[in-house]
């Protein structure tokens, strides 16, 4: 986690994992947040579900960012609350397996295999 992730996670009130009957077929990770300066959502859900091909597919809540606070946007010199200063070039992102639970990488989040 970087400093921006830690700042966002200060507003998290609960983390829940809901398993399906057969954990191998899928599960949900539910992040609950109190009102915060970053986004409007009070709940973010990441769902992992086995698809017909036998691979794990994912769906996630769209984050409704507050104006100027979209942490997933690259910024040249936009200031605090943005990510990208260290990784402005394509290919500089860490491999998916090292992303963990980064809120700033929500749409691309990968958890284990």
């Amino acid at each position: 986690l970087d400093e921006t992730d830690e700042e966002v996670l200060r507003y998290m009130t609960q983390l829940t994992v809901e398993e399906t009957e057969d954990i191998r077929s899928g599960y949900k990770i539910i992040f609950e947040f109190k009102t915060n300066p970053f986004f409007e959502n009070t709940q973010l859900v990441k769902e992992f579900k086995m698809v017909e091909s036998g691979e794990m597919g994912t769906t996630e809540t769209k984050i409704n960012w507050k104006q100027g606070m979209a942490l997933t946007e690259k910024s040249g010199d936009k200031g605090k609350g943005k990510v990208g200063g260290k990784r402005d070039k394509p290919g500089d992102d860490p491999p998916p397996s090292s992303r963990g639970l980064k809120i700033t990488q929500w749409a691309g989040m990968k958890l284990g295999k």
Side-chain angles (χ1 to χ4, degrees), residues 3-56:
E3 289 178 22
T4 304
D5 293 318
E6 290 177 12
E7 191 173 341
V8 171
L9 291 176
R10 286 188 192 131
Y11 295 93
M12 187 171 70
T13 58
Q14 186 170 343
L15 174 74
T16 306
V17 177
E18 288 184 2
E19 300 176 354
T20 57
E21 271 188 46
D22 175 9
I23 186 64
R24 293 174 292 181
S25 64
Y27 57 96
K28 290 181 186 179
I29 302 174
I30 303 164
F31 298 83
E32 303 272 345
F33 291 88
K34 59 186 171 184
T35 301
N36 66 78
F38 299 99
F39 45 83
E40 299 292 338
N41 310 66
T42 57
Q43 184 181 79
L44 299 175
V45 179
K46 182 77 173 188
E47 184 172 4
F48 297 81
K49 193 183 317 185
M50 191 68 67
V51 294
E52 286 185 29
S53 67
E55 295 190 22
M56 191 63 72

Side-chain angles (χ1 to χ4, degrees), residues 2 75 83-89 92:
D2 62 24
S75 69
V83 172
K86 295 179 183 174
R87 294 188 212 150
D88 282 339
K89 297 181 288 194
D92 283 352

